[in-house]
Amino acid sequence: MFNALLVEKDEDSGKTSAAVKQIAVDDLPEAEVLVAVEYSTVNYKDGLCVGPGGGLVRHYPHVPGIDFAGTVEASTDARYKPGDKVVLTGWRVGEAHWGGYAQKARVKADWLVPLPKGLDTRAAMAVGTAGLTAMLSVMALEDHGLEPGHGPVLVTGAAGGVGSVATAILAHLGHEVAAVTGRPETGDYLKDLGASRIVPREELTEVTKKPLEGEQWAGCVDAVAGAMLGRVLKQMKYGTSVAAVGLAGGAVIEGAMITPFILRGVNLLGIDSVMQPYENRLRAWERVARDLPMEKLEAMIEPAALSDLPELGRAILKGQVKGRVVVDVNA
């Protein structure tokens, strides 16, 4: 028997509840690789799945946790053997398939990647889906011409998980980073990560009818969407790109017009981390190990245990979590 955060649903009321309970290996879903989980983390989707599900959870009882890192205990797939260190992000694990909020998890071999050199399992979960998404965003911007010296790169939702890692990576690569936040108290934190300028959120949330605004940004990692993305698109420099990774401000791009795309050649790049092909994942993890300063990563970490997850799930849905929560499932 081992500990897991089990989310259960009352069929009469439809309400869900989450608590740490003991389960057995036989309770885990069938798959090729059994992993002794060491660390997990907390993402926005985790907040949904720990709570009422947000439409992501198909069956109850359920073990959330879309990310985990640990050691292979058993495998029927030749790619992995007992003792191998592995990382899992995405593939709807923690949503449709039981995830990492447990001391053991059983998953498909195709969903795993080897732990990259230069990272331990704790650091890998400080990165997690949020950090991997940030790295994929930076890679996409680079693939579309972003280079240091082209001008400031905007990061929206900068104090969140994706934004924190993106800020640290971009600054380490030599970019001038303008960090957008609605929480003034996070200014020093963002500057410590490498941001050279703090942009108050309210400067970018007004919906305007202008087809274009003054050219300001050489690139953007956007985790907000909504009115902010509509405004930012009008401020991008000629031929630059926005990597869109989230929708904390809403799924509709308010105030958006076609003009930035046809008059300035602006690119809107969609970034998905859930179904990324294996080779792209490896490339991104290798870049993380190389281009994310470990001292900056350490500054983002907030430690937690399985018992903290119900409250953390509620907090992240309210935008009250800063940086990266690292969950020690064995604490």
Side-chain angles (χ1 to χ4, degrees):
M1 304 294 289
F2 57 91
N3 291 331
L5 184 78
L6 203 65
V7 182
E8 298 177 286
K9 186 174 184 178
D10 184 276
E11 294 301 328
D12 294 328
S13 67
K15 292 183 178 181
T16 59
S17 60
V20 178
K21 296 190 175 183
Q22 291 253 301
I23 62 173
V25 171
D26 287 346
D27 295 323
L28 296 173
E30 290 299 321
E32 299 96 1
V33 186
L34 178 67
V35 179
V37 179
E38 295 166 20
Y39 295 96
S40 186
T41 184
V42 180
N43 300 281
Y44 191 87
K45 282 185 178 179
D46 293 315
L48 293 173
C49 295
V50 169
L56 300 177
V57 179
R58 294 176 177 175
H59 305 288
Y60 292 91
H62 180 68
V63 176
I66 69 171
D67 298 343
F68 66 78
T71 305
V72 173
E73 277 197 358
S75 175
T76 59
D77 188 287
R79 288 171 288 179
Y80 296 101
K81 63 183 186 302
D84 287 347
K85 297 288 186 179
V86 292
V87 180
L88 184 143
T89 60
W91 299 112
R92 300 213 63 205
V93 171
E95 303 172 43
H97 187 94
W98 281 18
Y101 287 171
Q103 292 174 307
K104 296 182 191 295
R106 191 156 51 196
V107 295
K108 292 184 178 180
D110 287 343
W111 296 342
L112 297 167
V113 296
L115 183 72
K117 292 180 180 178
L119 293 180
D120 57 23
T121 52
R122 178 174 176 271
M125 284 299 97
V127 176
T129 282
L132 185 67
T133 303
M135 190 71 251
L136 290 166
S137 300
V138 172
M139 288 162 50
L141 293 176
E142 291 174 342
D143 290 344
H144 285 78
L146 179 66
E147 294 180 1
H150 284 188
V153 181
L154 193 71
V155 178
T156 71
V162 175
S164 293
V165 179
T167 297
I169 290 172
L170 287 164
H172 179 72
L173 292 172
H175 295 280
E176 176 189 350
V177 181
V180 183
T181 181
R183 295 180 277 172
E185 68 276 10
T186 63
D188 289 342
Y189 163 77
L190 291 168
K191 287 181 178 178
D192 288 342
L193 293 182
S196 54
R197 175 182 166 193
I198 305 300
V199 180
R201 180 170 58 196
E202 55 269 21
E203 289 188 12
L204 292 169
T205 51
E206 181 185 356
V207 177
T208 69
K209 294 183 179 180
K210 296 178 181 179
L212 291 171
E213 297 185 33
E215 298 182 41
Q216 295 191 54
W217 317 116
C220 174
V221 177
D222 175 57
V224 176
M228 186 175 294
L229 179 54
R231 190 80 182 276
V232 168
L233 287 167
K234 299 174 186 179
Q235 299 178 356
M236 299 302 297
K237 291 187 174 186
Y238 186 90
T240 58
S241 303
V242 176
V245 304
L247 41 66
V252 176
I253 307 176
E254 298 173 55
M257 297 182 182
I258 196 67
T259 42
F261 306 111
I262 64 173
L263 296 182
R264 285 189 183 158
V266 171
N267 305 297
L268 183 57
L269 312 174
I271 307 298
D272 166 65
S273 63
V274 176
M275 307 302 288
Q276 276 289 323
Y278 180 78
E279 292 302 325
N280 282 1
R281 289 174 185 270
L282 282 184
R283 179 183 167 217
W285 276 111
E286 288 167 0
R287 285 288 306 273
V288 163
R290 188 178 78 212
D291 294 329
L292 176 58
M294 289 301 108
E295 70 277 8
K296 302 295 186 186
L297 183 65
E298 189 64 33
M300 301 178 202
I301 294 175
E302 297 289 341
L306 285 176
S307 58
D308 299 319
L309 288 168
E311 179 57 35
L312 284 168
R314 289 187 287 270
I316 199 166
L317 295 181
K318 296 176 182 177
Q320 296 172 346
V321 171
K322 182 185 75 174
R324 300 292 296 134
V325 176
V326 174
V327 182
D328 182 349
V329 302
N330 298 298

